[in-house]
Every structure is written in structure tokens, then in C-alpha cells.
């Protein structure tokens, strides 16, 4: 084993650098949106020249709404492209959350845009004539954007599987980009020439670059395959998957980060799914993932064979204890399979002989659901200041170490009574549990700034 040092790990940006780069990016986006908003003021189209008073204001507002929606549609490409530098600043989970909220906002602007434009035209119906084809492209855009947002919000109710939804989402989004550029170019003369025209072509070029970067990354990932080295059941409904690189070294990653894995196998489909890299970077050579079977794809994971090729896109995320000061006390609260990032962190902390105080509270349904129980027991030997508390939610409590407790405010208050209120708290588990625990921790007196959460859905 190589000596363990932080030098082998990817560089984390300091909080100050993240705030700095984050502010630069947010300011750039706001400047671009402000520039787009100014277009209907400085480059009036012919339809605006003949409007006055309230009509002109309405028409201008309608155009502004459309331009804001257009800017945000372009931003969506950046948010969802899994760009590494964006992940290092904002974390991919936050970017995907923002992507979701922005989608709803875009749909709102897209609906208001034609309404504000139609009112000053006194239109009660859309004139059906070929010369209005760019407007019909706009109608297509409005319907597609609304459809994308509705289906994304109602996916579970509509019983659409994630992977089918993702393919639909990607194709629908691609058609939105094409339709958007056509609509902008032909619906008025604003973008035909001059500065707005140049800016539009810059945006098209930028979009093409992001698209090319994503394609290039996919090709590079396929050029560096891993192989399944082992697959074993580690607890009820949970498999340990170990993979090794075909050539070269394992990528460097931070304990607690995740990657998207996909297989080339006869037994499982090839779509990429996100999983925490549960192994520790202090033990390079192979990567381990602990996968709980819960849906169509994970239920087949046990059928993957040794030597099947695996592709890894990652690492991503900022859910790691390395973002805290070296002496900061750590509290880890995990629900079920939400233990995997903590497992990676504990393996790393054990290998580096970290002396700090650590408390792990781990809730499982039954003892059978506890993964790698022996390894967790051995951590307590290597990390003298680690305390593990098992909480079982179903069935009888097994022994004095397995508490039958609820992780509500009073339960947590009791379990964390000996912990410093400026500890860094890491929480990962089912969404409802994380929400409740987050609120309870704040009420108990922990600082929101030091509570880190990882959602197992993007
Ligand atoms: C950052 C992160 C880390 C994770 N780490 C682990 C881990 O260490 N161990 C573990 O067992 N699980 C982990 N998960 C959850 C795991 O990704 C899902 O359980 C798995 O993808 C479900 O796939 P399925 O088709 O079997 O289930 P489904 O029932 O089809 O999906 C269940 C849910 O998982 C999500 N999901 C499904 N497919 C994808 C996909 N291709 N891309 C993104 N999200 C998807 C969706 O929110 C979906 O609603 C993690 C998820 C994230 C986001």
C-alpha cells in the first residue's frame, strides 16, 4: 500500500475560493441576462416601433420574458453537463437541484411571453398562415418546454421509469435548443444582424462547445474501461462491487465522492447510474461500490459477471470530511445504504490514523440490513475516538449496541449530548429522514453551515 497523504487527492477549493468563483459565475450569468433584457430597449424590432404607451410596455415585457427564458435554457445545458469545475464550486447535486427549479421558472416565462405579446396585438386566436411559421416554432417550443417540466414533476405518478424518462428528456431538450435558435433567428429581425445577431451566434458556438465537451468526455470514458473484479452479497439486498482499471491507475478521488457507473454486460443494461465510491483513496488499485437493490436496474446488479467491462464517469461531489478543518469533530448520521459515503470517509480516517472525535449514528431496518458489520466493528479498534451507534427501526433490538430509538429531535439530543455544537455533521439517507434530521439538528443548536447532506437522487 502506498503511504497515505492528502497530496494524492484531488484539490478541494477553500470555502473562500468557492465563494469567489461562485460569485464570478453567478455575476456572469446575471450580466448575460441583463444584456438580454436590454435588447428590446436598444434594438427595437419593427413590431415595437409602431406601438406606444401600455401596448409598447406589454410587448417589450413579453420579449423580455422570452429572452430571459432563452438565457436560462442555455444555462440549463451548463448545469446538466456534469462539468468538473462547476462541480468543484457548487457540487453536482446542488446544480441538478437548481436545474430542476430553473426548468419550472423557464416554463413560467415561456407561458407569459406569448400572452404579453398577444395582448397589444389584440389577438384572440393565432393566425394560421405560412408566413407565421417562426411563431409556430414558438408554439412548439412552449408546448415542449411545458411538457418537459410536467413530465419531470409527475414522472413517478405517471409511472415512467427513470431511464425511459431520461432518454425522452434528452431528446426533447435537444429539440428545444434547435427550435429556440430557429425561433430567435426568424421570429423578428432583431437577431438577423448587428450586435444581437453576433451574440446569438456566440451563444450557438458556446452551446456547440458544451455539447462537444460532453460527447468527448463520453468517448474518453469508454476508452478507459474498468473490469469487474468481484461481486458479493454483503447484507440483505446489498452487493459489494469491486472494479479495477484495465490500464493505468484508479482515478484520484476524495472519500465520500460518487461516480456514474455503466456496464457492458449481457446481464444488465448499459445506462449510467450514480453510486458512492465506498472504497478509500488511501487504498488505490481498485474501487468498491456498495449497491442496494431497489429498482429494475439494481435488482440485476448481482448478475454482473467478473471481467465484465465497467465505465466510470467521476468523481463528483463535495460530501467529504476533507472539506472541514483537521481537528473538527465529526458526526455522521446515515440511514440504510446512505452509509456508503461515511464508509469511504471512515476507511480513509482509519488508514490515516485520524485521532479526532467521531460519532456515527447508523439507522437500519434490521440487523440483516447492516452492511460489512465486521469492518465497522474493526474501525472502533483503529479509530480510538470513534463511537458507532446502531439504530434499528424494525424488529427487536439485537444487543446493547443496537438501540431501538427514533432519530427525532429528542432521540438525537440524547445521542449527541456529548458532542460539540460546532462539529461537522454529515447526513445521508432517505429524503424524508434527511429533512427531519436537518431540522432537528438546527433546533438542537448545530450550525446550518456545518450540516452537510447528500441526497441519493439527482
Ligand atoms: C450521489 C448519489 C450516490 C448514490 N450512492 C449510492 C450507493 O452508494 N449505493 C446505493 O445502493 N445507491 C446509491 N445511490 C442511489 C442509486 O443511484 C439508485 O438507487 C439507483 O440508480 C436506482 O436505480 P434503479 O433503476 O434500480 O431504481 P429505480 O426505481 O428505477 O430508481 C429509483 C430512483 O433512483 C434514481 N435513479 C434511477 N436511475 C438513475 C440514473 N440512471 N441516474 C440518476 N438517478 C437515477 C431516481 O431518482 C429514481 O427515482 C446514489 C445516488 C446518488 C444520486
Amino acid at each position: 500500500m502506498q503511504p497515505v497523504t492528502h497530496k494524492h487527492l484531488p484539490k478541494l477549493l477553500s470555502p473562500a475560493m468557492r465563494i469567489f468563483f461562485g460569485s464570478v459565475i453567478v455575476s456572469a450569468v446575471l450580466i448575460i441576462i441583463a444584456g438580454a433584457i436590454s435588447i428590446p430597449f436598444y434594438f427595437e424590432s419593427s413590431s415595437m416601433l409602431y406601438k406606444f404607451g401600455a401596448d409598447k410596455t406589454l410587448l417589450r415585457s413579453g420579449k423580455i420574458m422570452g429572452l430571459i427564458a432563452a438565457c436560462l435554457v442555455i444555462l440549463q445545458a451548463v448545469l446538466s453537463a456534469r462539468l468538473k469545475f462547476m462541480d468543484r464550486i457548487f457540487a453536482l447535486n446542488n446544480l441538478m437541484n437548481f436545474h430542476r427549479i430553473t426548468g419550472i421558472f423557464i416554463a413560467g416565462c415561456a407561458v407569459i411571453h406569448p400572452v404579453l405579446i398577444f395582448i397589444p396585438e389584440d389577438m384572440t386566436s393565432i393566425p394560421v398562415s405560412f408566413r407565421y411559421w417562426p411563431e409556430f416554432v414558438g408554439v412548439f417550443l412552449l408546448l415542449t418546454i411545458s411538457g418537459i417540466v410536467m413530465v419531470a414533476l409527475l414522472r413517478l405518478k405517471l409511472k415512467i421509469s427513470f431511464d425511459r424518462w431520461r432518454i425522452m428528456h434528452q431528446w426533447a431538450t435537444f429539440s428545444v435548443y434547435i427550435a429556440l435558435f430557429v425561433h430567435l433567428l426568424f421570429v423578428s429581425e432583431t437577431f438577423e444582424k448587428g450586435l444581437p445577431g453576433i451574440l446569438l451566434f456566440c451563444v450557438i458556438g458556446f452551446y456547440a462547445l458544451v455539447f462537444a465537451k460532453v460527447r468527448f468526455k463520453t468517448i474518453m470514458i469508454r476508452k478507459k474501461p474498468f473490469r469487474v473484479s468481484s461481486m458479493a452479497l454483503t447484507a440483505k439486498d446489498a452487493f459489494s462491487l469491486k472494479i479495477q482499471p484495465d490500464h493505468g491507475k484508479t482515478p484520484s478521488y476524495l472519500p465520500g465522492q460518487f461516480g456514474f457507473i455503466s456496464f457492458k454486460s449481457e446481464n444488465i443494461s448499459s445506462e449510467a447510474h450514480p453510486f458512492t465510491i465506498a472504497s478509500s483513496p488511501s487504498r488505490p488499485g481498485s474501487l468498491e461500490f456498495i449497491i442496494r437493490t431497489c429498482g429494475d436496474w439494481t435488482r440485476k446488479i448481482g448478475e454482473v459477471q467478473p471481467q465484465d467491462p465497467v465505465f466510470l464517469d467521476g468523481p463528483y461531489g463535495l460530501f467529504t470530511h476533507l472539506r472541514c478543518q483537521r481537528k473538527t469533530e465529526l458526526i455522521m448520521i446515515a440511514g440504510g445504504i446512505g452509509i456508503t459515503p461515511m464508509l469511504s470517509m471512515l476507511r480513509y480516517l482509519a488508514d490515516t490514523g485520524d485521532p479526532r472525535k467521531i460519532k456515527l449514528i447508523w439507522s437500519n431496518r434490521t440487523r440483516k440490513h447492516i452492511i460489512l458489520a465486521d469492518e465497522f466493528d474493526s474501525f472502533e479498534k483503529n479509530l480510538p475516538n470513534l463511537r458507532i451507534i446502531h439504530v434499528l427501526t424494525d424488529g427487536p433490538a439485537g444487543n446493547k449496541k443496537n438501540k431501538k430509538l427514533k432519530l427525532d429531535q429528542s432521540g438525537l439530543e440524547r445521542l449527541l449530548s456529548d458532542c460539540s455544537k460546532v462539529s461537522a455533521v454529515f447526513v445521508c439517507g432517505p429524503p424524508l429522514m434527511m429533512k427531519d434530521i436537518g431540522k432537528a439538528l438546527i433546533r438542537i443548536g448545530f450550525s446550518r453551515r456545518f450540516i452537510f447532506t447528500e441526497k441519493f437522487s439527482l
Side-chain angles (χ1 to χ4, degrees):
M1 203 176 87
Q2 289 180 2
V4 179
T5 65
H6 292 314
K7 279 187 201 143
H8 291 101
L9 306 183
K11 287 267 171 295
L12 261 173
L13 291 177
S14 67
M17 290 304 264
R18 285 182 58 218
I19 291 171
F20 172 73
F21 286 122
S23 313
V24 169
I25 292 172
V26 172
S27 308
V29 171
L30 291 178
I31 289 170
I32 291 169
I33 293 176
I37 291 174
S38 72
I39 288 177
F41 291 93
Y42 293 104
F43 303 91
E44 289 189 346
S45 61
S46 53
S47 60
M48 278 180 68
L49 289 175
Y50 301 103
K51 293 275 181 310
F52 301 96
D55 281 353
K56 190 162 189 156
T57 306
L58 280 173
L59 189 56
R60 188 175 272 149
S61 308
K63 287 183 183 257
I64 287 173
M65 282 294 162
L67 288 165
I68 292 175
C71 289
L72 294 180
V73 166
I74 303 299
L75 178 68
Q76 293 288 68
V78 180
L79 292 176
S80 59
R82 295 186 200 159
L83 299 174
K84 277 271 165 69
F85 78 94
M86 293 285 280
D87 174 58
R88 288 180 69 194
I89 299 166
F90 300 104
L92 197 64
N93 298 52
N94 296 332
L95 291 172
M96 295 314 287
N97 262 342
F98 193 62
H99 174 76
R100 218 164 289 132
I101 296 164
T102 310
I104 299 169
F105 193 73
I106 291 172
C109 292
V111 170
I112 299 170
H113 164 67
V115 174
L116 293 182
I117 285 181
F118 273 11
I119 295 171
E121 300 290 349
D122 284 333
M123 282 190 187
T124 48
S125 61
I126 302 169
V128 181
S129 154
F130 183 71
R131 82 189 177 94
Y132 291 111
W133 71 266
E135 278 80 356
F136 284 103
V137 174
V139 174
F140 167 80
L141 257 175
L142 174 59
L143 295 177
T144 315
I145 289 174
S146 311
I148 289 175
V149 173
M150 296 297 280
V151 174
L153 292 176
L154 301 174
R155 178 179 69 81
L156 291 177
K157 283 208 174 105
L158 296 172
K159 295 198 167 59
I160 302 174
S161 75
F162 186 89
D163 296 302
R164 188 166 295 171
W165 166 76
R166 206 179 43 178
I167 293 168
M168 281 163 42
H169 188 78
Q170 280 170 348
W171 280 106
T173 309
F174 189 69
S175 69
V176 163
Y177 284 111
I178 305 289
L180 176 65
F181 292 134
V182 172
H183 182 65
L184 281 172
L185 264 178
F186 295 101
V187 79
S188 77
E189 68 279 21
T190 308
F191 288 98
E192 269 176 16
K193 51 188 183 316
L195 188 60
I198 294 170
L199 290 178
L200 181 61
F201 280 99
C202 289
V203 170
I204 295 176
F206 174 73
Y207 175 69
L209 269 180
V210 174
F211 188 75
K213 166 114 183 58
V214 173
R215 300 302 317 159
F216 179 71
K217 190 168 77 175
T218 313
I219 294 168
M220 292 314 287
I221 287 168
R222 310 250 355 142
K223 281 197 169 168
K224 290 185 192 157
F226 289 72
R227 298 261 163 198
V228 174
S229 53
S230 74
M231 169 70 82
L233 201 63
T234 61
K236 191 168 163 48
D237 306 328
F239 286 88
S240 153
L241 161 74
K242 288 192 180 146
I243 63 172
Q244 280 178 338
D246 245 4
H247 308 286
K249 294 192 288 188
T250 45
S252 65
Y253 62 97
L254 299 166
Q257 284 193 304
F258 68 95
F260 293 81
I261 55 169
S262 55
F263 294 92
K264 192 175 167 192
S265 165
E266 285 175 1
N267 302 319
I268 196 163
S269 57
S270 62
E271 76 251 3
H273 285 249
F275 292 100
T276 308
I277 307 172
S279 43
S280 162
S282 49
R283 293 174 184 239
S286 76
L287 301 177
E288 183 179 11
F289 300 87
I290 310 284
I291 300 177
R292 175 138 282 157
T293 56
C294 64
D296 290 349
W297 191 84
T298 44
R299 254 191 285 270
K300 294 207 177 119
I301 197 76
E303 293 168 33
V304 166
Q305 297 299 313
Q307 295 307 313
D308 276 349
V310 190
F311 305 100
L312 173 73
D313 175 12
Y316 294 105
L318 294 174
F319 192 70
T320 174
H321 70 281
L322 292 180
R323 61 191 290 182
C324 312
Q325 302 279 333
R326 282 187 183 206
K327 289 192 178 147
T328 308
E329 243 182 83
L330 300 175
I331 299 171
M332 302 174 175
I333 306 176
I337 199 64
I339 191 68
T340 52
M342 327 305 191
L343 172 59
S344 174
M345 291 186 230
L346 286 171
R347 283 173 163 171
Y348 185 83
L349 287 158
D351 281 349
T352 48
D354 203 305
R356 76 180 101 182
K357 193 171 159 192
I358 308 164
K359 182 168 274 185
L360 168 68
I361 300 172
W362 185 13
S363 161
N364 275 287
R365 282 174 52 203
T366 68
R367 293 189 69 186
K368 284 187 188 154
H369 288 85
I370 299 177
I371 58 155
L372 304 173
D374 293 344
E375 187 174 349
F376 276 93
D377 285 345
S378 75
F379 284 143
E380 282 184 302
K381 283 181 216 122
N382 296 339
L383 294 167
N385 292 318
L386 166 70
R387 212 170 141 229
I388 301 180
I389 298 168
H390 287 285
V391 175
L392 299 179
T393 54
D394 289 0
N399 57 37
K400 66 178 178 8
K401 274 179 118 190
N402 301 338
K403 295 209 167 24
K404 188 108 182 30
L405 263 173
K406 268 188 95 180
L407 289 185
D408 54 11
Q409 188 175 335
S410 63
L412 282 172
E413 220 156 3
R414 209 147 24 109
L415 294 174
L416 301 176
S417 57
D418 58 340
C419 296
S420 154
K421 291 287 183 297
V422 288
S423 304
V425 192
F426 291 84
V427 189
C428 182
L432 200 63
M433 169 193 153
M434 289 210 296
K435 208 168 149 200
D436 291 347
I437 287 182
K439 280 189 202 154
L441 287 169
I442 290 166
R443 272 190 239 116
I444 293 170
F446 288 93
S447 160
R448 196 185 290 268
R449 217 155 60 89
F450 298 121
I451 301 174
F452 306 101
T453 56
E454 180 90 309
K455 258 204 314 185
F456 272 7
S457 66
L458 291 175

